[in-house]
Amino acid sequence: ALISQKEGNLQSNIKLKGMKKLVVLAVMVSLAFGVKAQLNPVVWSFSSKKISEKVYEVHMKATIQTNWHLYSQKQPDDAIAIPTAFVINPNPLFSLDGKIKEVGKMEVMKDATLGVSAHQYSTSVDFVQKVKMKGNAKTKLTGNVEFQTCDDKKCLPPKKTNFSIPIQ
């Protein structure tokens, strides 16, 4: 009876170790999928530069991983890509001078299979907004950018990134 009890305990320990291995494996697999789901092929950097008395350029630069594309703010009529869009929060200390300009090498993509085209960037693009200060106060330009990225096989869902850029 003592031997069969030890065998039973041993079998229970083996089952428990097997279950622990399965749980560890399941966690590792879910982490691997989580990392893939967190794929972020665009890194944003934000800065401002004084260009004259009370006039600043705000730079919102996107650095894009190899084989990925970020879309321009303006798309052709037949495009299905979601354009990059900025929301700048109102601030009584400055006014926006013109629209956001894109500085980079724009590519015009035409997909004959789908019958669509897109204006896109690879590698990097700098979105530049001029700002006129109304006084000498330090402030921040705040808002967000919503953008979509695609490679040759898939598109990621649109993503939103908040920003707060010191202007001084």
Side-chain angles (χ1 to χ4, degrees), residues 140-153:
K140 293 181 180 180
L141 183 137
T142 62
N144 65 65
V145 56
E146 186 171 13
F147 60 97
Q148 182 179 34
T149 53
C150 298
D151 66 7
D152 293 337
K153 296 179 182 130

PDB file of all heavy atoms in Angstrom, residues 140-153:
ATOM      1  N   LYS A 140       3.147  75.462 -24.813  1.00  0.00           N
ATOM      2  CA  LYS A 140       3.296  74.187 -25.510  1.00  0.00           C
ATOM      3  C   LYS A 140       2.240  74.074 -26.600  1.00  0.00           C
ATOM      4  O   LYS A 140       1.119  74.543 -26.441  1.00  0.00           O
ATOM      5  CB  LYS A 140       3.127  73.014 -24.540  1.00  0.00           C
ATOM      6  CG  LYS A 140       4.228  72.910 -23.514  1.00  0.00           C
ATOM      7  CD  LYS A 140       4.008  71.732 -22.609  1.00  0.00           C
ATOM      8  CE  LYS A 140       5.140  71.656 -21.592  1.00  0.00           C
ATOM      9  NZ  LYS A 140       4.986  70.539 -20.699  1.00  0.00           N
ATOM     10  N   LEU A 141       2.631  73.449 -27.694  1.00  0.00           N
ATOM     11  CA  LEU A 141       1.681  73.072 -28.724  1.00  0.00           C
ATOM     12  C   LEU A 141       1.310  71.621 -28.411  1.00  0.00           C
ATOM     13  O   LEU A 141       2.184  70.755 -28.334  1.00  0.00           O
ATOM     14  CB  LEU A 141       2.317  73.184 -30.106  1.00  0.00           C
ATOM     15  CG  LEU A 141       1.392  72.874 -31.278  1.00  0.00           C
ATOM     16  CD1 LEU A 141       1.596  73.895 -32.384  1.00  0.00           C
ATOM     17  CD2 LEU A 141       1.621  71.485 -31.803  1.00  0.00           C
ATOM     18  N   THR A 142       0.031  71.376 -28.196  1.00  0.00           N
ATOM     19  CA  THR A 142      -0.422  70.034 -27.832  1.00  0.00           C
ATOM     20  C   THR A 142      -1.451  69.541 -28.843  1.00  0.00           C
ATOM     21  O   THR A 142      -2.099  70.328 -29.526  1.00  0.00           O
ATOM     22  CB  THR A 142      -1.046  70.007 -26.418  1.00  0.00           C
ATOM     23  OG1 THR A 142      -2.194  70.867 -26.394  1.00  0.00           O
ATOM     24  CG2 THR A 142      -0.048  70.444 -25.355  1.00  0.00           C
ATOM     25  N   GLY A 143      -1.580  68.247 -28.901  1.00  0.00           N
ATOM     26  CA  GLY A 143      -2.562  67.645 -29.797  1.00  0.00           C
ATOM     27  C   GLY A 143      -2.248  66.183 -30.013  1.00  0.00           C
ATOM     28  O   GLY A 143      -1.639  65.530 -29.160  1.00  0.00           O
ATOM     29  N   ASN A 144      -2.661  65.676 -31.187  1.00  0.00           N
ATOM     30  CA  ASN A 144      -2.380  64.284 -31.521  1.00  0.00           C
ATOM     31  C   ASN A 144      -2.273  64.118 -33.025  1.00  0.00           C
ATOM     32  O   ASN A 144      -2.706  64.986 -33.783  1.00  0.00           O
ATOM     33  CB  ASN A 144      -3.439  63.348 -30.917  1.00  0.00           C
ATOM     34  CG  ASN A 144      -4.811  63.580 -31.511  1.00  0.00           C
ATOM     35  OD1 ASN A 144      -5.035  63.354 -32.702  1.00  0.00           O
ATOM     36  ND2 ASN A 144      -5.749  64.043 -30.699  1.00  0.00           N
ATOM     37  N   VAL A 145      -1.689  63.012 -33.400  1.00  0.00           N
ATOM     38  CA  VAL A 145      -1.600  62.641 -34.803  1.00  0.00           C
ATOM     39  C   VAL A 145      -2.188  61.234 -34.937  1.00  0.00           C
ATOM     40  O   VAL A 145      -1.883  60.339 -34.148  1.00  0.00           O
ATOM     41  CB  VAL A 145      -0.148  62.711 -35.337  1.00  0.00           C
ATOM     42  CG1 VAL A 145       0.809  61.859 -34.521  1.00  0.00           C
ATOM     43  CG2 VAL A 145      -0.090  62.313 -36.811  1.00  0.00           C
ATOM     44  N   GLU A 146      -3.070  61.079 -35.919  1.00  0.00           N
ATOM     45  CA  GLU A 146      -3.638  59.765 -36.215  1.00  0.00           C
ATOM     46  C   GLU A 146      -3.096  59.350 -37.574  1.00  0.00           C
ATOM     47  O   GLU A 146      -3.100  60.135 -38.523  1.00  0.00           O
ATOM     48  CB  GLU A 146      -5.162  59.803 -36.235  1.00  0.00           C
ATOM     49  CG  GLU A 146      -5.763  58.426 -36.395  1.00  0.00           C
ATOM     50  CD  GLU A 146      -7.274  58.402 -36.206  1.00  0.00           C
ATOM     51  OE1 GLU A 146      -7.897  59.465 -36.199  1.00  0.00           O
ATOM     52  OE2 GLU A 146      -7.812  57.292 -36.068  1.00  0.00           O
ATOM     53  N   PHE A 147      -2.613  58.109 -37.658  1.00  0.00           N
ATOM     54  CA  PHE A 147      -1.937  57.667 -38.867  1.00  0.00           C
ATOM     55  C   PHE A 147      -2.128  56.168 -39.065  1.00  0.00           C
ATOM     56  O   PHE A 147      -2.439  55.431 -38.138  1.00  0.00           O
ATOM     57  CB  PHE A 147      -0.439  57.991 -38.795  1.00  0.00           C
ATOM     58  CG  PHE A 147       0.270  57.332 -37.629  1.00  0.00           C
ATOM     59  CD1 PHE A 147       0.966  56.151 -37.801  1.00  0.00           C
ATOM     60  CD2 PHE A 147       0.203  57.887 -36.356  1.00  0.00           C
ATOM     61  CE1 PHE A 147       1.606  55.530 -36.729  1.00  0.00           C
ATOM     62  CE2 PHE A 147       0.841  57.281 -35.281  1.00  0.00           C
ATOM     63  CZ  PHE A 147       1.550  56.110 -35.468  1.00  0.00           C
ATOM     64  N   GLN A 148      -1.925  55.747 -40.315  1.00  0.00           N
ATOM     65  CA  GLN A 148      -1.968  54.328 -40.658  1.00  0.00           C
ATOM     66  C   GLN A 148      -0.674  53.962 -41.372  1.00  0.00           C
ATOM     67  O   GLN A 148      -0.138  54.767 -42.131  1.00  0.00           O
ATOM     68  CB  GLN A 148      -3.154  54.026 -41.561  1.00  0.00           C
ATOM     69  CG  GLN A 148      -3.271  52.550 -41.896  1.00  0.00           C
ATOM     70  CD  GLN A 148      -4.474  52.238 -42.769  1.00  0.00           C
ATOM     71  OE1 GLN A 148      -4.868  53.021 -43.607  1.00  0.00           O
ATOM     72  NE2 GLN A 148      -5.040  51.067 -42.558  1.00  0.00           N
ATOM     73  N   THR A 149      -0.209  52.763 -41.111  1.00  0.00           N
ATOM     74  CA  THR A 149       0.982  52.261 -41.793  1.00  0.00           C
ATOM     75  C   THR A 149       0.666  50.933 -42.459  1.00  0.00           C
ATOM     76  O   THR A 149      -0.137  50.150 -41.956  1.00  0.00           O
ATOM     77  CB  THR A 149       2.159  52.075 -40.816  1.00  0.00           C
ATOM     78  OG1 THR A 149       1.731  51.268 -39.726  1.00  0.00           O
ATOM     79  CG2 THR A 149       2.651  53.402 -40.296  1.00  0.00           C
ATOM     80  N   CYS A 150       1.322  50.726 -43.596  1.00  0.00           N
ATOM     81  CA  CYS A 150       1.161  49.471 -44.332  1.00  0.00           C
ATOM     82  C   CYS A 150       2.519  49.037 -44.869  1.00  0.00           C
ATOM     83  O   CYS A 150       3.401  49.864 -45.085  1.00  0.00           O
ATOM     84  CB  CYS A 150       0.214  49.649 -45.521  1.00  0.00           C
ATOM     85  SG  CYS A 150      -1.466  50.136 -45.083  1.00  0.00           S
ATOM     86  N   ASP A 151       2.645  47.723 -45.066  1.00  0.00           N
ATOM     87  CA  ASP A 151       3.775  47.211 -45.830  1.00  0.00           C
ATOM     88  C   ASP A 151       3.185  46.615 -47.101  1.00  0.00           C
ATOM     89  O   ASP A 151       2.031  46.888 -47.439  1.00  0.00           O
ATOM     90  CB  ASP A 151       4.628  46.228 -45.009  1.00  0.00           C
ATOM     91  CG  ASP A 151       3.918  44.934 -44.653  1.00  0.00           C
ATOM     92  OD1 ASP A 151       2.786  44.686 -45.143  1.00  0.00           O
ATOM     93  OD2 ASP A 151       4.484  44.140 -43.882  1.00  0.00           O
ATOM     94  N   ASP A 152       3.929  45.788 -47.811  1.00  0.00           N
ATOM     95  CA  ASP A 152       3.422  45.250 -49.075  1.00  0.00           C
ATOM     96  C   ASP A 152       2.358  44.170 -48.905  1.00  0.00           C
ATOM     97  O   ASP A 152       1.709  43.788 -49.870  1.00  0.00           O
ATOM     98  CB  ASP A 152       4.588  44.696 -49.910  1.00  0.00           C
ATOM     99  CG  ASP A 152       5.512  45.802 -50.375  1.00  0.00           C
ATOM    100  OD1 ASP A 152       5.074  46.961 -50.441  1.00  0.00           O
ATOM    101  OD2 ASP A 152       6.694  45.502 -50.658  1.00  0.00           O
ATOM    102  N   LYS A 153       2.178  43.688 -47.670  1.00  0.00           N
ATOM    103  CA  LYS A 153       1.236  42.588 -47.446  1.00  0.00           C
ATOM    104  C   LYS A 153       0.056  42.940 -46.551  1.00  0.00           C
ATOM    105  O   LYS A 153      -0.992  42.316 -46.633  1.00  0.00           O
ATOM    106  CB  LYS A 153       1.984  41.402 -46.839  1.00  0.00           C
ATOM    107  CG  LYS A 153       3.032  40.832 -47.767  1.00  0.00           C
ATOM    108  CD  LYS A 153       3.764  39.675 -47.143  1.00  0.00           C
ATOM    109  CE  LYS A 153       4.820  39.200 -48.112  1.00  0.00           C
ATOM    110  NZ  LYS A 153       6.118  39.056 -47.578  1.00  0.00           N
TER     111      LYS A 153
END
